[in-house]
Amino acid sequence: MRNYETIFILKPTLEEEVRKELINKFTSIISANGEVVKIEEWGNRKLAYEIEKFRDGYYVLVNFNAAPSLPMELERNYRIADDVIRYMIVNLDDK
C-alpha cells in the first residue's frame, strides 16, 4: 500500500446534493481498493485562470492509501465525470 493525495475541482454551479454524491462516488472507489485517510472540502475558491468558462471551482482534497493500480482507475473516473473541471493524483511516497 502506498500513500497518495488527490485533489479535484468540481464545477461551482453544482447543487450541494450532486456535489456530495460525486465526492461519495470517488471516495467509495478509493475505499473499495484502499483506505481513505482524510477528506478536506476547501469549498469554492478562485481559479488561477479560467477553465471551461468558470472562474471559480469547488476544491476537494483526499489523502488515501492504496495499491499502485488504484490511481489509474480513479483517474479514469475523473475523466468520465462531466462535473470535474481538473484533478491531480500525487504519490506521496516518491518524495
Side-chain angles (χ1 to χ4, degrees):
M1 299 277 267
R2 294 183 180 167
N3 295 319
Y4 292 96
E5 178 177 84
T6 182
I7 187 163
F8 54 95
I9 305 171
L10 301 174
K11 292 180 179 176
T13 55
L14 293 177
E15 294 180 12
E16 186 176 346
E17 212 174 278
V18 176
R19 190 170 52 235
K20 293 289 183 192
E21 284 179 22
L22 279 171
I23 294 169
N24 287 336
K25 175 186 171 184
F26 296 134
T27 54
S28 65
I29 291 168
I30 295 169
S31 297
N33 297 311
E35 172 192 5
V36 175
V37 177
K38 182 172 64 169
I39 302 172
E40 289 182 31
E41 292 186 38
W42 293 353
N44 281 329
R45 294 188 175 207
K46 189 167 180 65
L47 299 171
Y49 53 89
E50 191 174 291
I51 302 173
E52 296 179 18
K53 300 194 179 183
F54 291 109
R55 295 195 175 274
D56 296 330
Y58 191 87
Y59 285 70
V60 180
L61 174 74
V62 181
N63 291 337
F64 63 97
N65 298 323
S69 60
L70 181 69
M72 290 189 314
E73 176 63 20
L74 191 57
E75 186 173 334
R76 185 182 74 77
N77 281 277
Y78 285 150
R79 287 184 188 166
I80 293 172
D82 292 333
D83 295 322
V84 175
I85 299 174
R86 286 285 188 272
Y87 63 88
M88 183 170 54
I89 303 171
V90 178
N91 182 350
L92 298 176
D93 292 335
D94 285 344
K95 288 186 175 180

